[in-house]
Amino acid sequence: YRNRQQIAEKLTLIASQLPEGVTPQMGPISSIMGQVMLVALTAPDGVSPMQLREAADFLVRPRLLTISGVAQVIPIGGEVRQFRVAPNTAALRALGVSLEEVETAITAFGGNTGGGFTDQFAREFLIRNIGNTLSLDDLRKVVVKSNGAQTVQLHQVADVGFGARLKRGEAGYMGKSSVIISVEKQPDVDTV
C-alpha cells in the first residue's frame, strides 16, 4: 500500500509532462499479476465436459487450495451439472397440479435445516438435518401435491434429469474444449 501511495503521488507529478490525452492509471491490487498458473484439464474420448468440470471442481480444486500460498482456484469451462425439471403440461392438467405447486416443492427439496440441540452427559449437541442430495430418484419422488389419499410425485408431472447450467464462457486447449484452472496466489506469500 505504501508503494502504491508513492506511485500515485509520482503519477500526479508527471501527468503534465505526458502527451495530450494520456491519463496514467494504476491497476487494481488484485491484478492479473496474482495469477501464478493456468492449468488445462483435457479428457480422453468418452468423458463428457460435465464429468471433466466435476473433476476440476471436486478433485483438483480442493487439492490445490491446500497448498501454502494459494489464495484462489477458479475453474473455467466445461459444463456445471444441475438438476433439470421440465414440466409436462398435459400431466399437470390431468392431475390438477399448478406450476406454483411444482415450484414450491422443488424449492423446498434438499434444504438443510436446524434441529435445535440435545443435552447428553452435561454437553450440548447440535442437531442438523442434512438434506443435500445429488440423487435424481430423491428429486423424482418429491411430493408435489397431496390431498389425503392421493399424492402426486414430481416424476408424474415432469421429466427430471441432469442438465448443464447456462454457460457464461468457454475454455479450450490445443483446439479442443477443456477446463482451464486459474491458480491465484496470496499477497506477500511465496508460492513456489
Side-chain angles (χ1 to χ4, degrees), residues 10-177:
K10 290 183 181 188
L11 283 176
T12 56
L13 290 175
I14 65 162
S16 61
Q17 300 171 13
L18 295 173
E20 190 174 312
V22 174
T23 307
Q25 208 173 1
M26 286 194 300
I29 293 174
S30 59
S31 71
I32 195 71
M33 298 305 292
Q35 190 176 63
V36 293
M37 184 181 295
L38 289 174
V39 179
L41 292 183
T42 59
D45 294 336
V47 176
S48 71
M50 193 175 293
Q51 291 169 319
L52 190 60
R53 178 60 185 255
E54 287 175 352
D57 284 336
F58 302 114
L59 296 176
V60 178
R61 182 176 182 273
R63 291 178 183 178
L64 288 174
L65 284 171
T66 64
I67 297 171
S68 176
V70 173
Q72 193 171 13
V73 177
I74 305 168
I76 305 162
E79 294 178 346
V80 178
R81 181 187 303 256
Q82 68 179 13
F83 288 119
R84 185 188 61 81
V85 177
N88 180 336
T89 53
L92 288 171
R93 267 195 310 274
L95 295 171
V97 177
S98 69
L99 280 175
E100 290 79 21
E101 290 171 317
V102 171
E103 184 179 359
T104 301
I106 293 170
T107 303
F109 169 73
N112 295 339
T113 58
F117 63 92
T118 184
D119 287 319
Q120 190 175 26
F121 309 114
R123 294 180 65 191
E124 287 184 357
F125 293 93
L126 294 177
I127 299 171
R128 295 187 315 161
N129 178 25
I130 307 297
N132 287 340
T133 179
L134 296 176
S135 169
L136 282 176
D137 288 333
D138 291 342
L139 180 58
R140 286 184 181 113
K141 293 176 185 173
V142 166
V143 174
V144 176
K145 186 173 186 175
S146 177
N147 53 0
Q150 181 186 10
T151 60
V152 177
Q153 295 180 343
L154 186 60
H155 70 89
Q156 294 174 283
V157 294
D159 293 325
V160 180
F162 287 121
R165 186 168 57 185
L166 184 65
K167 285 188 177 187
R168 296 190 65 190
E170 185 60 276
Y173 177 74
M174 302 290 283
K176 288 186 168 185
S177 182

